[in-house]
Amino acid sequence: MEFKSHNDFNTFQRHVRFERRYVHTAPIVEFLAALTATLPGRTCSLSKGAELYRAQIGYDKDHVEGDVIITGFSEQRMKPNHEFCGEGRANPHGIAYLYLSNHLDTCMAEMRPQLGQMLSVAQFKVQRNLHLVDCYSVEQEFGDIELIFSPPTTQEGIRNAIWWQINQAFSRPISRGDTSSDYIPTQILVEFFRHHGFDGVCFKSGLGEGHNFVLFDLTAAELINCGVYDVKAVKYEFGECTNRYYKKKHLENLS
């Protein structure tokens, strides 16, 4: 089974968000069948003993001999809880997964903290060898404009484009304007990966260096320490990505 075009992923997203979610339409069945055929080449491992990081905005306070001591959140707070977890990029409401990063600063950036806020940051150690879906390793990266004007035509190019779009869907930073339906495509993919026996998903971060991980088993990594960090600075970088337009009268003034 092969993908028909690089647009197959967008078709999948549109159908599961706006048409049918739990009983899949024919294009979604075909897309997932083609995705299944590519899974053997999309695997990576996370070895027992690997150290990863997780951040949460906020901290705890202890009172010791009349003094107030700032400390990181407890282990119970630093691990998600099925009863209280909301919607996430990988998990629907009520199903908890462990979101981690292999880069300290990136795990904090993923929280989108504001200047002056304080975060609890825990270090976790992986407890067993894990078999993950590798979303990020593609031979070519694609921009949205490139896919519009220079779409891939070979099956290899289409596969790369599909997996690059999947990586982008997982790594896109969560924004205040997101709705729960924005997460449906990636949530379905996660359950699809779990069904095929994987322990988690790995993808590039959209907010920093390194990679992010979603582990399906909350016991697959154990908290070994937790500290508190404060936000010293917030930096944005911008670049113009399309041609600028000019109003006609101003364009004439440039000539």
Side-chain angles (χ1 to χ4, degrees):
M1 189 72 179
E2 294 185 339
F3 297 115
K4 294 178 181 178
S5 82
H6 71 283
N7 284 319
D8 286 2
F9 180 65
N10 286 329
T11 299
F12 161 75
Q13 293 192 99
R14 186 176 66 254
H15 276 241
V16 298
R17 286 188 64 194
F18 303 118
E19 295 189 27
R20 292 186 187 177
R21 195 157 301 165
Y22 304 111
V23 179
H24 295 155
T25 59
I28 303 313
V29 173
E30 294 172 2
F31 171 77
L32 293 177
L35 198 65
T36 302
T38 69
L39 281 177
R42 304 300 318 178
T43 65
C44 65
S45 60
L46 189 60
S47 299
K48 179 180 179 179
E51 294 181 352
L52 303 171
Y53 305 93
R54 175 176 170 84
Q56 294 286 292
I57 293 177
Y59 56 89
D60 273 342
K61 294 180 181 179
D62 280 345
H63 296 270
V64 180
E65 297 180 354
D67 294 327
V68 177
I69 306 297
I70 292 176
T71 182
F73 282 138
S74 68
E75 181 175 6
Q76 291 72 28
R77 177 66 175 76
M78 292 304 295
K79 274 197 168 184
N81 186 304
H82 292 282
E83 295 183 8
F84 304 109
C85 67
E87 298 277 351
R89 186 74 65 200
N91 68 289
H93 181 80
I95 297 179
Y97 297 138
L98 191 55
Y99 292 76
L100 300 164
S101 175
N102 63 1
H103 193 278
L104 178 62
D105 288 350
T106 297
C107 85
M108 289 185 275
E110 291 287 346
M111 294 293 100
R112 307 288 286 277
Q114 298 180 13
L115 188 65
Q117 280 189 309
M118 300 174 72
L119 301 93
S120 295
V121 181
Q123 188 176 29
F124 284 79
K125 181 173 287 188
V126 175
Q127 298 299 294
R128 57 185 173 85
N129 294 332
L130 301 175
H131 186 51
L132 308 179
V133 177
D134 170 5
C135 295
Y136 65 87
S137 295
V138 294
E139 295 180 3
Q140 179 184 355
E141 297 183 358
F142 298 84
D144 292 338
I145 295 175
E146 181 181 0
L147 287 176
I148 293 173
F149 294 105
S150 300
T153 55
T154 67
Q155 187 58 212
E156 181 180 3
I158 291 171
R159 283 197 301 268
N160 281 334
I162 293 288
W163 277 101
W164 176 248
Q165 291 174 87
I166 290 174
N167 181 84
Q168 295 299 90
F170 276 107
S171 64
R172 183 172 65 85
I174 292 175
S175 70
R176 293 187 181 93
D178 286 351
T179 64
S180 59
S181 68
D182 293 325
Y183 306 146
I184 289 168
T186 43
Q187 290 173 358
I188 289 175
L189 288 178
V190 161
E191 295 214 346
F192 173 78
F193 297 147
R194 286 190 68 182
H195 177 72
H196 282 82
F198 289 92
D199 299 306
V201 183
C202 179
F203 50 93
K204 280 186 178 180
S205 169
L207 290 170
E209 300 177 24
H211 299 95
N212 291 335
F213 300 81
V214 177
L215 306 185
F216 305 150
D217 179 4
L218 299 183
T219 67
E222 182 179 341
L223 185 147
I224 58 177
N225 62 64
C226 186
V228 180
Y229 290 72
D230 62 345
V231 182
K232 301 292 188 183
V234 178
K235 180 182 179 182
Y236 297 95
E237 292 186 6
F238 304 94
E240 192 167 11
C241 60
T242 62
N243 293 330
R244 184 184 299 263
Y245 77 85
Y246 289 88
K247 294 178 67 174
K248 185 176 179 179
K249 67 176 182 178
H250 296 292
L251 184 60
E252 292 171 349
N253 291 336
L254 293 176
S255 60

